[in-house]
Amino acid sequence: MKTKDDQNTLNELCVYGRQIVLEALRSACNVKNIWIAKNAAGKNIGQIKKLAKLKGVPIQYVNQNDLQKIVGAVVHQGAA
């Protein structure tokens, strides 16, 4: 997700958690990429996949440990 700061430069943010990833896709944010844990499943994961496909946002499927390395020591719920 990208946002503009006061100086009109672009800042990249990494968001994690199923609901916030889904909301980022639903919003006007420019979502560059989505990471989903290979073993992640459920209603929100399905919605993320569907909406990402509709918006042309690439999804990378990674193992749980790699996703943890990407986002750090947080609870990511299998999506970032």
Side-chain angles (χ1 to χ4, degrees):
M1 180 170 72
K2 291 186 177 183
T3 60
K4 287 190 176 188
D5 67 12
D6 292 337
Q7 299 163 345
N8 271 347
T9 58
L10 292 176
N11 294 317
E12 290 187 11
L13 300 173
C14 181
V15 298
Y16 52 87
R18 294 175 184 207
Q19 192 61 40
I20 195 159
V21 170
L22 188 55
E23 292 303 324
L25 283 168
R26 288 177 176 158
S27 74
C29 294
N30 180 17
V31 179
K32 246 172 93 171
N33 189 24
I34 294 175
W35 295 283
I36 295 178
K38 291 178 183 175
N39 63 342
K43 180 181 173 186
N44 283 353
I45 294 294
Q47 290 175 326
I48 289 167
K49 291 177 183 179
K50 181 179 178 181
L51 197 49
K53 184 176 180 179
L54 283 172
K55 290 192 155 200
V57 178
I59 297 175
Q60 291 182 319
Y61 296 93
V62 296
N63 69 43
Q64 192 84 1
N65 290 336
D66 289 339
L67 185 54
Q68 199 69 61
K69 289 176 187 176
I70 291 167
V71 298
V74 297
V75 179
H76 54 69
Q77 300 174 321

